[in-house]
Amino acid sequence: MNAWLKALIFPGFLFLFVVFLAVLYFERKILADVHLRVGPYYVGRWGILQTTADLFKLFQKEFIVQKRANKILFSLVPFVAFLMSTMMLAFIPFSQTVYVVSTSFDLIILLALVTSMSPIFFYAGWASKCKYSFIGGLRAVNQLISGEIPLWLSASSAGIFYGTLNHLEIVEKSSVLNSLILLPGFLIFLTAVLIVSERSPFDIPIAEQEIVYGFITEYGGFNYAIFLVAKTIELFALLSLAVVLFLGGFKGPVFPGIVWFFLKISVLYLFIFLLRASIPRIRMDLLLKLCWKVLTPLSLLNIAFVITVKILMG
């Protein structure tokens, strides 16, 4: 029963819904501050209910499936994406006791779930039977596969260094010195997270100026909202993984562990929001060069560096 409560309330679906609303609200507010705008203001105090109102508006909109689309696959894909993204959070320890499951292969399972998102986005474009959506799906797969390789390699460097794939054991073995040793891997991992989650400046698959709105061009209403929630949760899961692998997870003085965890992830979110507000989108060819000619070789060198340091440290 305790596991079911965790899955439904915290860190389950209710918690993820609150995270989704909070992330969207603060992103809009921070972007508005950087751009010298007001942002959400009228709905609720400081506009805090604006995101909730927008979400309910999306849920109330009619869900339209065009005639030539594959109706079953078109309707099913957003829910599969949501399910995969929420499953990632099951393997994240927010504190010593707050987690859903803990296995000997936490890291491998979570990375496998991340990799499963690529075909989901392709099928979303293919099932639409629309050339813009199909091109968007191909671009998404191209980008995600290119970004997942340095993501896997940089995350694996932490597992190699700590000698375990269990997230709780990784956090227990972490220290300030270990975080400094893994700093190159952290920078590669964070860049790969932006690529895989399609965040600025790597939001190429949904570049509205180039291909309308990518693989979700034909989606609207409730299904579009599910896709939006799935992408937001995926980013939250990947940033949580970064905190666990490279930033000591829930470790910290004075405050409870769960407070330290959310402080660390809040700093990462702030960095991502500021990045979106200040850097324009790059071209696809530059992204591919970055992944294959820069990040992937650096990831391999980082693994060699981590193995060498581990041998020297005994």
Side-chain angles (χ1 to χ4, degrees), residues 63-72 74-75 124-134 217-219:
F63 174 51
I64 300 174
V65 182
Q66 57 177 332
K67 289 183 179 179
R68 61 178 180 270
N70 186 320
K71 294 179 175 56
I72 296 177
F74 184 84
S75 304
W126 179 82
S128 301
K129 304 299 182 182
C130 167
K131 63 180 179 180
Y132 296 111
S133 299
F134 183 67
T217 299
E218 297 297 328
Y219 284 89

Side-chain angles (χ1 to χ4, degrees), residues 62 93 141 169 203 227 243 259 285:
E62 181 182 3
V141 171
E169 293 179 4
D203 52 339
F227 254 129
V243 171
V259 174
D285 61 320

Side-chain angles (χ1 to χ4, degrees), residues 268-284:
L268 295 181
Y269 263 116
L270 179 61
F271 169 74
I272 289 175
F273 295 159
L274 294 177
L275 203 63
R276 178 185 174 185
S278 55
I279 298 181
R281 182 186 302 121
I282 71 172
R283 300 198 315 265
M284 176 62 83

Side-chain angles (χ1 to χ4, degrees), residues 82-93:
F82 174 75
L83 179 63
M84 290 297 181
S85 59
T86 52
M87 286 175 63
M88 298 178 195
L89 268 298
F91 300 92
I92 298 295

Side-chain angles (χ1 to χ4, degrees), residues 244-255:
V244 169
L245 296 180
F246 302 102
L247 301 179
F250 48 80
K251 272 190 172 181
V254 184
F255 300 116

Side-chain angles (χ1 to χ4, degrees), residues 281-297:
R281 182 186 302 121
I282 71 172
R283 300 198 315 265
M284 176 62 83
D285 61 320
L286 297 178
L287 170 66
L288 295 180
K289 288 179 181 178
L290 174 67
C291 290
W292 293 104
K293 294 185 177 180
V294 179
L295 292 182
T296 300

